[in-house]
Amino acid sequence: MPEPTRLDGLLVDPSRSVTFTFEGAPFSGLAGDTIASALAANGQWMLSRSFKYRRPRGVFSMAGHDANTLVQLPDEPNVPADLHPISDGLAVLGQNYEGSLARDRGAWLGRMGRFLPPGFYYKAFFRPRGAWRLWEPLIRRKAGLGRVDTNTRHKERDKAYAFAATVVIGGGPAGMAAALRAAVRGGEVILVDDHPVLGGALVFARFDVAGTRGRGLREDLVAQVKAAPTIEVWTNATCHSLYDDNWLAVVKQGRLVKLRAGNVVVATGAIELPVVFRNGDLPGVMLCSAAQRLLRLYGVRPGGRAVVATANEHGYGAALDLAEAGVAVAAVCDLRAAPPDGELRRAVRDLGVTIHDGHTVWEAAGSGHVEGVVIAPITGEGQCGRPIASVACDLVCLGAGYTPNAALLHHAGARFRYDERVATHFLEAAPINVEACGSVAACFDLDGALTGDNRRPDDGLSHPWPMFAHPKGMEFVDLDEDLTITDIEATAAEGYDHIQLLKRFSTTGMGPSQGRLSNVAAIRLVARATGRTPDAVG
């Protein structure tokens, strides 16, 4: 695959070069790059090996929503390469391999899937009596991802206290608009966002054919926020917890801030969900939003020839962004049988891109990086007919829908329900003095997010069943734990069909990303296995 050249990126400074190493080899990036974006700009897409089968893994969400990009720093394991900035002299290693990242001596584990079903560790290693003493050292050597250096010097960390009439978590369009409304009501407002700049999806997503609406709206909202004397902006600040009486734990520049608020507005957005198919974990397969983040934030072309699989207009926006950046879009697979003819879809068709309605990517092929896909028609829930085409590509972009990024709301005791009409969860009730706005409240309409009325769409942006079983398996539902469709179904068949029991027996949702990309799929699979609705599963 040819090395991509750099484009203009919002977060990078092309006048300042930064040198670092990965796996002992020197690399150069730009100031503002993350480890992952700098490596991608140099054509290095494999970043780690997977937990169980040691499969090659690379950029998938570009937002810290998965464990694919976890790397090892000299004094810190399990660092998300898609979030961690590069610095001069930084030494980075991949994780979870023996020998070298490219030639892992433990890769044979990938051929042992049939002998390593979910829960196998509960059924083995304890007979005959005393056998655990022999197994334990081997298992401990194989387990885990990074390495802890017990001689690492502990860093000094302090804490601070802060108070505000209103705290808004999330600096996207809904969050900025909510902060401005709170400022009009009076009192100090603190706007917290875990990114370097405000804007949320406005900084990378495409909302119109021209591609100007998001950029113009962001500039206007940011200017209003900066001009408001009672709004204090905290960027690169992560709110980890929302406790009783509206006190929030915020980590800002290595400091724990105990923040107390009269009112809390959660505007944390939504998480894009993947399509699940055989070998869908190969480097080069990523979410549509990940490809757009690489393009818009870091000026990196994510590939040379792409296939897009989507269930909404946003996937067509990604296709337009790719084409505009010089990436050849070979095909778009629209999982919907009869999708509406939106303006972004029409613009993609006008470019001469082949669009396959009611089709999906059924299988990806490649060794170390995706090299092509097989496209097949969708004939039923999770079922595909005879493939219609094999398409060569080095990039596959996925956008099956969205789930609310609602961890803080769950922590505070909010209740969500699954709406089968739009195939997503929506907020049913929030605690006193806590409100939600924008896509975390299932309002995917940009105008509705700005006004705070949380209008849900008439038709869904999420496909109800974007998971397609393959006779040869390896359709990964949970990338953290290497769990496939068959693994989840087998766990339910063994009687662990309560979602909390299934979680603990199969370990789905228990990896570093805590199920951000897998929980909805697991819920749907359990619902089908038990004859219940996703809402009844919980």
Side-chain angles (χ1 to χ4, degrees), residues 257-476:
V257 181
K258 294 186 174 182
L259 176 57
R260 183 78 69 175
N263 297 283
V264 174
V265 180
V266 178
T268 45
I271 297 171
E272 190 168 33
L273 297 176
V275 182
V276 177
F277 53 90
R278 175 173 167 79
N279 295 331
D281 62 327
L282 279 169
V285 179
M286 65 185 70
L287 298 176
C288 289
S289 53
Q292 290 174 300
R293 283 183 167 97
L294 283 170
L295 283 170
R296 298 299 179 204
L297 300 182
Y298 304 104
V300 176
R301 289 188 185 89
R305 180 176 167 85
V307 171
V308 177
T310 186
N312 52 58
E313 274 283 280
H314 294 173
Y316 291 98
L320 289 175
D321 282 340
L322 292 169
E324 190 176 86
V327 178
V329 181
V332 173
C333 296
D334 196 318
L335 277 61
R336 301 168 294 179
D341 204 26
E343 65 170 357
L344 299 181
R345 173 183 162 93
R346 293 196 299 272
V348 170
R349 187 174 58 238
D350 290 346
L351 292 176
V353 175
T354 301
I355 299 175
H356 301 283
D357 291 339
H359 286 68
T360 185
V361 172
W362 190 55
E363 178 180 7
S367 176
H369 196 278
V370 66
E371 298 171 6
V373 298
V374 175
I375 296 173
I378 300 171
T379 57
E381 186 177 82
Q383 298 176 336
C384 289
R386 184 185 299 274
I388 64 162
S390 295
V391 180
C393 61
D394 59 6
L395 172 65
V396 182
C397 297
L398 310 175
Y402 299 91
T403 188
N405 188 10
L408 287 175
L409 289 167
H410 285 295
H411 195 187
R415 294 198 308 273
F416 281 76
R417 297 200 61 171
Y418 187 86
D419 186 340
E420 294 191 63
R421 182 179 60 87
V422 293
T424 193
H425 289 85
F426 69 93
L427 180 64
E428 185 178 48
I432 297 175
N433 295 328
V434 175
E435 63 177 291
C437 62
S439 54
V440 72
C443 176
F444 297 101
D445 174 70
L446 187 54
D447 293 325
L450 294 173
T451 58
D453 63 3
N454 289 342
R455 295 197 303 267
R456 295 212 304 277
D458 294 329
D459 56 352
L461 298 180
S462 298
H463 195 275
W465 201 273
M467 300 166 288
F468 302 96
H470 193 283
K472 296 181 180 179
M474 293 300 174
E475 334 87 336
F476 291 100

Side-chain angles (χ1 to χ4, degrees), residues 135-195:
W135 284 108
E136 182 181 16
L138 175 63
I139 291 173
R140 290 194 181 279
R141 285 197 300 271
K142 295 290 185 184
L145 294 175
R147 297 185 303 277
V148 175
D149 182 356
T150 56
N151 295 317
T152 298
R153 183 178 179 274
H154 289 273
K155 298 178 182 177
E156 296 294 330
R157 302 291 189 187
D158 63 354
K159 61 184 177 182
Y161 297 86
F163 304 87
T166 302
V167 173
V168 180
I169 309 299
M176 286 191 285
L180 291 168
R181 289 194 298 272
V184 171
R185 292 195 299 266
E188 182 181 0
V189 179
I190 296 179
L191 176 58
V192 180
D193 193 87
D194 56 358
H195 293 88

Side-chain angles (χ1 to χ4, degrees), residues 16-22 25-31 86-91:
R16 295 170 54 203
S17 179
V18 178
T19 57
F20 66 105
T21 63
F22 179 68
F27 285 88
S28 177
L30 301 178
I86 58 172
S87 57
D88 278 314
L90 183 68

Side-chain angles (χ1 to χ4, degrees), residues 81-120:
D82 50 355
L83 299 180
H84 196 283
I86 58 172
S87 57
D88 278 314
L90 183 68
V92 186
L93 296 173
Q95 289 192 160
N96 208 33
Y97 64 85
E98 299 170 56
S100 70
L101 180 62
R103 292 180 172 81
D104 176 22
R105 291 196 298 267
W108 59 271
L109 287 166
R111 298 189 292 272
M112 301 295 290
R114 59 183 297 188
F115 303 109
L116 303 172
F120 75 92

Side-chain angles (χ1 to χ4, degrees), residues 209-269:
V209 173
T212 57
R213 187 186 182 197
R215 182 168 61 250
L217 180 58
R218 174 182 175 270
E219 291 173 353
D220 180 54
L221 288 171
V222 169
Q224 291 185 56
V225 167
K226 289 183 176 180
T230 59
I231 298 178
E232 183 178 351
V233 176
W234 294 1
T235 52
N236 285 322
T238 302
C239 181
H240 286 283
S241 311
L242 173 52
Y243 296 103
D244 290 344
D245 301 319
N246 287 351
W247 95 257
L248 305 104
V250 180
V251 174
K252 178 187 177 188
Q253 297 175 342
R255 168 182 288 172
L256 172 62
V257 181
K258 294 186 174 182
L259 176 57
R260 183 78 69 175
N263 297 283
V264 174
V265 180
V266 178
T268 45

